[in-house]
């Protein structure tokens, strides 16, 4: 059977092809049939879509014979499916033998009471006895488990399910399965009201606002329907007050107030749904088509015409009512808008009045300030009877800050001091001599600093226009007097100038003080150092240089090198018997850096002391100690390593030689013991604690013990051996106690140093670390002047020459420079 009639193919014209979309009987019968034969998409349909080459008869199921196989197509493997049993085949044959009369009865029964089973155009039967539509009772739930082992019911019961109750922890689930409700006709969803079943209303009792709206809509539409009894329907009137219209904001027919005309609202619409073609000029008129009296239903033969009918009048009245309602609503909205505008304007008026009041107060304050400034300007005139003083001017600025603080900051009234205060302060400091009266004007400037200085740090070289008023006052008024007095000052008379700057330091800005010290004071000191001669000048140089250390600190570093050179030249012919050299050098010990000081002493003092010790004669019978005292007086001036080296080289060798020669000539051991203890008392504890000195005195004890024990057959002084043994034991025990005490002190110092380490003890770079280690081990570390290797400065570390490159120490070897560690460098230097 061909299905070309479904797609509009005309047998006469093969070229014209039209597809019809009307719902046919075949569609209605097979819409709700779950077992209908469905059209399956072929491979060509999937690839080519609408351009696939297939017959139109294949679009819907036909009732013809088998389709001819296409043996040219590739082989497709499909599922073989399931073969029907004999019982199913017999049941199918019984169903096909039913009579037409039984079919008609069953169809009528399905339409009224049972779920509808649609025809498919032939003997198209369902193969399953299951649910095909309609209602299902609770008794049928799980009845299919009689053919199985009932595993589903058992699992549910294990989980706590009770038959007849809902699922869930609190049995909140539905008891009955989802039910289907058959519509009354063939309309769309919702065309016949709510489609909820009684069971769903019980399970989910939710108020549906859409249903209420549908009911209201049906009520309103029912007024236009004809009474089925044939009688005339009495019209119902709805009365609305003005307040209701204002509250709801809608027209009498439930429509919102007409919106402004837009392009869509002016579209021409042709309505062909009725008996005659009608034309509307907006979409809103479609909703009002029942209000138009032209749409009159044709009267039947038995219907009676109304006695009095004026549709035009009804329409006009309806329009007048609607226009009146819209006018009422628009007037109400306009009134509300005007009220809101009044409220907004009142609030704006209040704000503007507050602003106006605030501006008026500001104007009054500014006028008062202007009056004060004008009064100050008048009193500054030369011929004024009541001239302005500094105290009055300070009181005025203090009053401005306290009473008009905001205006003082906003308009920067501190700048008025340039025109008001500067002339008065110039006159105040005109005849001032800072060296005679260094406290003159200090209190006045302290008061003006509190009034004029801003909370910011100013540095020299800034623009005068952007400079702080107080800093500008100090620079233009105070600084000329200070510059004038410094130019007349003699550097050797340093006390008045130092006192003057120390007294004014809290008041003078930092950058002005730096300018005075660097540009005025330091050049004069430098010229004075160049003209100083340590051999002829009676006043020592530290007397007029050291007072500047608290103020200038590191700024005096460039003066130290020429001072050391002059002192070194003066010490060329010096002898240790002259103690004046120590008096001149002692004040500089803490001023020079430890490295530079040690280098100076090694170069100028230690060689002189070594010559003195080498000339020293040791005579136990008649000893002269003057030369020894000359050398030991420099113990606190030179490093312990230099002193120990000097003694080891020039003293202990001669001393041990004298002891050996004395012991070889039948000595008096009591005198030797006193001589040994006497020389040991000539050294300080620090020198005695040094390992070299300790070793030398222990060596003397060993020589005395050997001398006592080696005397065989000769005369031996009674008790000599016991005295020497006792002396040795006593000295060893004293050394042990001293070492234990020193270790205890070092441990305490290390613990205290670990708790309170200061930031100044931390080296800033590798060179500082080397210098700190050199000072710790008493090793001289100083640069070699004018000596460089590949652009790197050469240094002496003890007797070793080194240079530093990117944190690595290089030591001079036989042929090349070798990198080494810091500890290895210290070991080599020792």
């Amino acid at each position: 059977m061909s299905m070309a009639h479904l797609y509009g193919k005309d047998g006469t014209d093969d070229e014209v092809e039209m597809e019809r979309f009307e719902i046919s009987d075949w569609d209605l019968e097979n819409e709700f049939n779950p077992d209908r034969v469905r059209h399956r998409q072929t491979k060509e349909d999937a690839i080519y879509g609408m351009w696939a080459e297939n017959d139109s008869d294949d679009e819907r199921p036909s009732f013809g014979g088998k389709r001819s196989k296409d043996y040219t197509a590739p082989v497709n493997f499909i599922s073989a499916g399931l073969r029907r049993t004999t019982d199913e085949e017999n049941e199918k044959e019984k169903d096909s033998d039913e009579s037409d009369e039984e079919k008609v009865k069953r169809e009528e029964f399905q339409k009224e009471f049972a779920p509808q089973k649609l025809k498919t155009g032939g003997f198209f039967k369902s193969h399953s006895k299951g649910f095909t539509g309609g209602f299902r009772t609770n008794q049928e739930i799980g009845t299919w488990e009689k053919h199985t082992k009932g595993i589903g019911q058992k699992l549910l019961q294990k989980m706590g399910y009770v038959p007849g109750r809902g699922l869930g922890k609190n049995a909140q689930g539905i008891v009955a399965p989802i039910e289907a409700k058959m519509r009354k006709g063939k309309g769309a969803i919702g065309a016949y009201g709510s489609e909820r079943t009684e069971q769903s209303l019980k399970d989910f009792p939710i108020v549906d606002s859409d249903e209420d709206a549908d009911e209201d809509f049906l009520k309103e539409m029912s007024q236009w329907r004809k009474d089925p009894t044939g009688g005339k329907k009495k019209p119902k009137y709805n009365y609305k007050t003005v307040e209701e219209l204002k509250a709801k904001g809608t027209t009498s027919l439930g429509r919102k107030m007409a919106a402004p005309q837009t392009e869509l609202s002016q579209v021409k619409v042709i309505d062909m749904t009725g008996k005659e073609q009608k034309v509307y000029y907006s979409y809103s008129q479609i909703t009002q088509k029942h209000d138009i009296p032209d749409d009159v239903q044709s009267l039947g033969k038995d219907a009676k015409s109304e006695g009095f009918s004026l549709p035009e009048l009804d329409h006009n009245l309806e329009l007048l009512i609607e226009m009146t309602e819209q006018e009422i609503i628009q007037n109400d909205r306009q009134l509300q808008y005007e009220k809101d505008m009044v409220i907004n304007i009142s609030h704006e008026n209040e704000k503007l009045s507050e602003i106006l009041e605030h501006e008026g107060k500001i104007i009054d304050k500014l006028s008062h300030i202007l009056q004060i400034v004008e009064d100050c300007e008048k009193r500054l005139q030369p011929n004024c009877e009541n001239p302005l003083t500094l105290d009055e001017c300070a009181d005025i600025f203090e009053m401005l800050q306290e009473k008009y603080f905001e205006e003082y900051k906003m308009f920067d009234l501190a700048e008025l001091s340039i025109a008001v205060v500067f002339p008065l302060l110039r006159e105040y400091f005109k005849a001032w001599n800072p060296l005679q009266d260094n406290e003159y004007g200090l209190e006045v400037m302290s008061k003006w600093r509190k009034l004029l200085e801003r909370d910011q740090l100013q540095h020299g070289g800034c623009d005068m226009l952007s400079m702080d008023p107080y800093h500008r006052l100090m620079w233009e008024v105070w600084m000329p007097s200070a510059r004038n007095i410094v130019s007349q000052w003699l550097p050797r008379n340093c006390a008045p100038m130092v006192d003057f700057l120390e007294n004014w330091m809290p008041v003078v800005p930092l950058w002005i003080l730096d300018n005075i010290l660097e540009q005025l004071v330091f050049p004069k000191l430098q010229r004075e150092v160049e003209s100083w001669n340590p051999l002829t000048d009676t006043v020592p140089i530290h007397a007029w240089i050291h007072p500047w250390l608290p103020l200038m600190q590191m700024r005096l570093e460039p003066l130290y090198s020429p001072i050391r050179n002059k002192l070194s030249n003066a010490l060329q012919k010096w002898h240790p018997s002259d103690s004046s050299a120590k008096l001149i050098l002692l004040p500089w010990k803490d001023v020079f850096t430890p490295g530079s000081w040690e280098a100076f002493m090694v170069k100028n003092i230690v060689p002189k002391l070594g010559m003195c010790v080498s000339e020293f004669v040791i005579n136990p019978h008649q000893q002269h100690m003057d030369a020894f005292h000359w050398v030991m007086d420099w113990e606190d001036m030179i490093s312990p390593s230099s002193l120990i080296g000097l003694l080891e080289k020039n003293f202990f060798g001669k001393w041990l030689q004298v002891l050996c020669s004395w012991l070889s000539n039948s000595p008096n051991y009591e005198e030797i013991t006193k001589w040994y203890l006497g020389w040991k008392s000539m050294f300080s504890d620090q020198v005695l604690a040094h390992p070299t000195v300790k070793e030398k005195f222990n060596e003397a004890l060993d020589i005395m013990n050997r001398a006592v024990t080696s005397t065989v057959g000769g005369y031996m002084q009674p008790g000599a051996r016991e005295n020497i043994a006792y002396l040795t034991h006593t000295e060893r025990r004293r050394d042990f106690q001293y070492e234990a005490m020193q270790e205890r002190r070092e441990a305490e110092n290390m613990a205290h140093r670990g708790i309170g380490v200061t930031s100044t003890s931390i080296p800033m770079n590798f060179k500082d670390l080397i210098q700190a280690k050199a000072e710790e081990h008493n090793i001289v570390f100083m640069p070699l002047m004018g000596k460089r290797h590949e652009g790197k400065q050469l240094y002496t570390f003890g007797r070793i020459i080194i240079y530093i490159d990117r944190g690595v120490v290089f030591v001079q070897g036989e042929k090349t420079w070798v990198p080494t560690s810091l500890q290895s460098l210290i070991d080599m230097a020792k």
Side-chain angles (χ1 to χ4, degrees):
M1 176 181 175
S2 175
M3 299 179 67
H5 65 282
L6 295 175
Y7 295 93
K9 278 194 177 183
D10 194 356
T12 59
D13 191 1
D14 294 338
E15 296 178 357
V16 179
E17 183 176 327
M18 278 178 52
E19 186 174 357
R20 299 181 182 275
F21 293 95
E22 288 85 4
I23 298 174
S24 62
D25 295 337
W26 185 90
D27 294 325
L28 293 175
E29 291 175 357
N30 288 277
E31 180 64 27
F32 299 101
N33 184 7
D35 297 327
R36 69 181 181 273
V37 178
R38 301 176 182 271
H39 172 63
R40 294 187 178 181
Q41 190 180 33
T42 63
K43 183 181 290 186
E44 291 187 357
D45 293 339
I47 296 174
Y48 301 107
M50 61 181 293
W51 289 280
E53 295 180 359
N54 52 1
D55 297 334
S56 60
D57 294 340
D58 297 336
E59 299 293 334
R60 296 192 184 183
S62 63
F63 303 95
K66 293 184 178 180
R67 293 173 57 188
S68 59
K69 293 184 178 180
D70 186 7
Y71 292 98
T72 61
V75 179
N76 291 330
F77 295 91
I78 61 174
S79 175
L82 299 175
R83 186 174 181 180
R84 293 193 184 97
T85 61
T86 308
D87 296 337
E88 291 178 349
E89 293 290 341
N90 294 334
E91 186 178 354
K92 182 178 179 182
E93 291 176 359
K94 289 180 182 179
D95 292 339
S96 62
D97 294 340
E98 291 181 358
S99 61
D100 295 338
E101 185 177 352
E102 292 176 352
K103 292 181 181 178
V104 173
K105 289 180 180 180
R106 186 173 68 249
E107 291 176 0
E108 293 176 356
F109 175 77
Q110 288 174 350
K111 290 181 180 180
E112 294 178 3
F113 305 102
Q116 186 177 5
K117 184 182 290 185
L118 299 177
K119 292 183 180 181
T120 57
F123 301 102
F124 191 86
K125 302 295 182 182
S126 174
H127 297 155
S128 64
K129 295 183 180 181
F131 172 72
T132 59
F135 296 91
R136 206 177 205 178
T137 61
N138 293 343
Q139 298 176 356
E140 297 179 1
I141 297 177
T143 55
W144 47 272
E145 284 195 338
K146 63 185 179 179
H147 303 291
T148 63
K149 295 181 180 180
I151 186 64
Q153 189 74 10
K154 291 177 182 178
L155 290 174
L156 287 174
Q157 289 177 357
K158 284 182 180 180
M159 297 177 191
Y161 170 70
V162 179
R165 297 183 63 185
L167 296 176
K169 182 179 180 181
N170 300 320
Q172 69 270 21
I174 61 175
V175 178
I178 299 175
E179 298 178 351
K181 184 177 180 181
M182 183 168 54
R183 297 198 191 101
K184 297 178 184 179
K186 300 179 181 179
I189 297 175
Y192 305 101
S194 175
E195 296 187 5
R196 297 183 63 180
T197 60
E198 295 179 0
Q199 185 64 32
S200 67
L201 292 173
K202 291 179 182 179
D203 294 336
F204 307 100
I206 301 173
V207 179
D208 195 348
S209 59
D210 294 338
E211 294 181 2
D212 298 339
D214 293 341
E215 290 179 2
D216 296 340
F217 177 72
L218 291 174
K219 279 184 183 179
E220 293 178 359
M221 295 301 296
S222 63
Q223 297 180 6
W224 296 94
R225 294 179 181 172
K226 190 179 291 185
D227 191 357
T229 58
K232 187 174 181 181
K233 200 170 186 179
K234 189 174 181 180
K236 295 181 181 180
Y237 298 100
N238 293 330
Y239 299 97
K240 295 182 181 179
T241 62
V242 176
E243 286 74 14
E244 291 177 353
L245 287 174
K246 292 178 181 180
K248 195 172 182 181
T250 58
T251 59
S252 61
L253 295 178
R255 295 183 298 272
K256 289 188 179 285
M257 189 175 59
Q261 293 292 330
T262 60
E263 295 180 2
L264 293 177
S265 62
Q266 300 177 3
V267 174
K268 183 177 180 181
V269 182
I270 300 175
D271 184 11
M272 302 181 67
T273 59
K275 196 172 183 181
E276 297 177 356
Q277 176 179 334
K278 298 177 183 178
V279 179
Y280 301 102
Y281 294 97
S282 66
Y283 287 115
S284 61
Q285 292 183 3
I286 299 178
T287 60
Q288 303 173 6
K289 64 180 181 179
H290 294 292
D291 299 340
I292 301 174
D294 296 339
D295 191 7
V296 181
Q297 300 289 338
S298 60
L299 300 174
K301 294 180 180 180
D302 299 333
K304 296 181 180 180
S305 61
E306 297 180 0
F308 182 77
S309 176
L310 291 175
E312 293 82 0
L313 181 59
D314 293 339
H315 177 67
N316 293 335
L317 289 174
E318 188 71 23
L319 288 178
L320 288 174
I321 293 171
E322 184 177 357
M323 292 170 62
T324 305
E325 290 177 355
Q326 292 183 2
E327 187 176 356
I328 291 171
I329 293 171
Q330 289 178 354
N331 291 338
D332 177 66
R333 291 186 178 181
Q334 185 66 25
L335 178 62
Q336 188 64 33
Y337 173 75
E338 297 295 339
K339 290 181 179 179
D340 294 340
M341 285 295 295
V342 170
I343 294 172
N344 292 335
I345 292 172
S346 62
H347 289 317
E348 193 70 24
N349 187 21
E350 292 176 0
K351 290 182 181 179
L352 291 175
S353 61
E354 292 177 359
I355 294 172
L356 186 62
E357 184 179 358
H358 180 67
E359 296 291 340
K361 292 179 180 179
I362 293 176
I363 291 172
D364 294 339
K365 290 181 180 180
L366 292 179
S367 61
H368 190 202
I369 293 171
L370 183 60
Q371 184 178 358
I372 293 173
V373 174
E374 291 176 352
D375 184 38
C376 292
E377 187 178 359
K378 290 179 182 178
R379 295 179 64 182
L380 287 174
Q381 299 298 328
N383 299 326
C384 180
E385 297 178 357
N386 185 18
L388 188 66
T389 63
L390 275 175
D391 294 335
E392 292 177 349
C393 191
D395 295 337
I396 290 172
F397 274 86
E398 188 174 358
M399 181 267 295
L400 289 175
Q401 284 189 356
E402 292 177 357
K403 194 174 181 180
Y404 307 103
F405 180 76
E406 294 182 0
E407 289 77 13
Y408 188 88
K409 293 294 183 182
M410 183 184 300
F411 299 102
D412 200 8
L413 296 180
E415 296 293 336
L416 291 174
S417 62
I418 298 173
V420 177
V421 183
F422 281 26
L424 298 177
L425 285 175
R426 284 194 183 96
E427 188 68 24
Y428 182 77
F429 286 110
K430 186 176 182 180
W432 173 49
N433 187 354
L435 299 181
Q436 296 178 0
D437 187 5
N438 54 35
E439 295 184 357
Y440 177 79
L442 186 60
E443 185 178 354
V444 175
M445 297 306 295
S446 300
K447 189 174 184 179
W448 281 108
R449 181 184 184 186
K450 295 178 182 178
L451 293 174
L452 301 179
E453 189 176 25
R454 299 187 185 123
D455 297 333
Q456 59 183 357
L457 182 63
Q458 295 278 355
H459 297 279
C462 59
D463 188 8
M464 285 292 176
L465 297 177
S466 61
M467 189 183 294
D468 188 275
Y470 175 74
H471 291 197
R472 186 173 178 182
L473 173 66
M474 293 295 296
W475 180 257
E476 295 184 1
V477 177
W478 182 87
M479 188 60 182
S481 300
R483 189 183 294 110
N484 183 30
I485 201 66
V486 170
S487 63
Q488 302 174 7
W489 162 69
L490 296 176
R492 300 202 180 193
N493 186 18
C494 63
M497 181 61 68
V498 172
D499 294 339
F500 161 65
L501 294 177
E502 285 180 349
N503 289 334
W504 280 87
M505 188 184 296
V507 180
V508 178
L510 181 61
W511 67 274
I512 294 180
L513 182 63
D514 292 341
N515 182 272
I516 293 174
L517 295 176
E518 294 175 2
Q519 304 296 330
L520 302 178
V521 175
F522 180 77
K524 300 203 72 170
L525 291 176
Q526 191 174 22
R527 289 193 295 269
E528 194 68 22
V529 167
E530 291 175 356
S531 62
W532 171 67
N533 188 354
L535 298 176
T536 57
D537 288 343
T538 57
V539 179
I541 189 172
H542 64 268
W544 47 274
I545 291 293
H546 287 187
W548 289 103
L549 288 174
L551 286 172
M552 303 189 69
Q553 296 179 357
M554 300 302 294
R555 296 185 183 91
L556 295 175
E557 282 286 345
L559 300 179
Y560 297 156
S561 180
I563 290 174
R564 285 194 295 266
N565 292 334
K566 288 180 178 290
L567 290 174
S568 179
N569 294 330
L571 290 172
Q572 288 181 359
K573 298 181 180 181
W574 169 78
H575 190 268
S577 60
D578 185 6
S579 61
S580 61
K582 183 179 178 181
L583 298 177
I584 294 174
L585 296 178
L586 183 61
W588 293 99
K589 181 181 178 182
D590 297 329
V591 176
F592 295 156
T593 60
S596 60
W597 171 258
E598 182 64 18
F600 179 81
M601 298 303 291
V602 168
K603 180 181 179 182
N604 300 286
I605 303 298
V606 174
K608 303 284 186 179
L609 298 178
M611 291 177 60
C612 185
V613 174
S614 64
E615 295 173 358
F616 177 65
V617 178
I618 301 174
N619 186 2
H621 303 289
Q622 189 178 2
Q623 186 67 58
H624 297 283
M625 301 295 295
D626 293 339
F628 184 80
H629 289 311
W630 295 341
V631 174
M632 296 309 296
D633 286 342
W634 288 89
E635 180 183 355
D636 56 343
M637 298 287 287
I638 62 178
S639 64
S641 60
S642 300
L643 180 61
I644 299 303
L646 184 147
L647 294 174
E648 182 183 6
K649 182 179 180 182
N650 301 306
F651 173 76
F652 281 108
K654 295 190 296 183
W655 184 75
L656 291 174
Q657 186 177 2
V658 171
L659 177 62
C660 291
S661 61
W662 192 6
L663 289 172
S664 63
N665 296 320
S666 301
N668 186 352
Y669 285 96
E670 291 182 2
E671 293 181 359
I672 291 176
T673 303
K674 291 180 180 179
W675 182 77
Y676 171 84
L677 295 176
W679 273 110
K680 194 170 183 180
S681 63
M682 300 299 292
F683 298 97
S684 63
D685 293 338
Q686 186 179 3
V687 175
L688 291 174
H690 197 276
T692 303
V693 178
K694 194 183 299 183
E695 181 183 354
K696 296 299 180 181
F697 280 103
N698 289 333
E699 186 178 350
L701 290 174
D702 293 338
I703 293 172
M704 287 188 287
N705 283 311
R706 285 197 302 271
V708 172
T709 56
S710 63
T711 305
V712 180
Y715 174 77
M716 175 61 63
Q717 183 180 353
R721 185 177 300 173
E722 290 77 6
N723 291 336
I724 296 299
Y726 177 74
L727 176 65
T728 304
H729 177 71
T730 303
E731 292 297 318
R732 299 284 170 80
R733 186 178 61 183
R734 187 179 299 171
D735 292 340
F736 177 76
Q737 291 176 353
Y738 184 81
E739 289 177 359
M741 186 176 61
Q742 288 295 111
E743 290 178 357
R744 192 181 306 111
R745 288 179 181 176
E746 290 180 1
E748 292 177 357
N749 292 335
M750 289 295 294
H752 184 267
R753 192 182 305 167
I755 294 173
V757 176
T758 59
S759 60
T760 56
S761 63
I762 300 174
M764 299 301 295
N765 51 39
F766 192 62
K767 178 186 174 184
D768 295 340
L769 178 61
I770 295 175
Q771 185 171 356
K773 289 293 182 181
E775 294 174 1
E776 182 180 348
H777 294 277
N778 298 317
I779 299 173
V780 178
F781 175 68
M782 59 180 295
L784 293 175
M785 302 305 295
K787 297 296 182 67
R788 291 181 176 273
H789 175 71
E790 296 180 354
K792 306 295 189 301
Q793 176 67 47
L794 295 180
Y795 300 89
T796 57
F797 191 83
R799 297 180 179 179
I800 304 171
I801 299 176
I802 65 170
Y803 76 90
I804 305 168
D805 185 14
R806 290 177 290 184
V808 180
V809 179
F810 290 86
V811 181
Q812 187 178 16
E814 296 179 358
K815 296 182 179 180
T816 182
W817 294 85
V818 182
T820 184
S821 64
L822 186 57
Q823 187 60 40
S824 301
L825 180 65
I826 295 171
D827 295 339
M828 286 188 290
K830 286 185 176 181

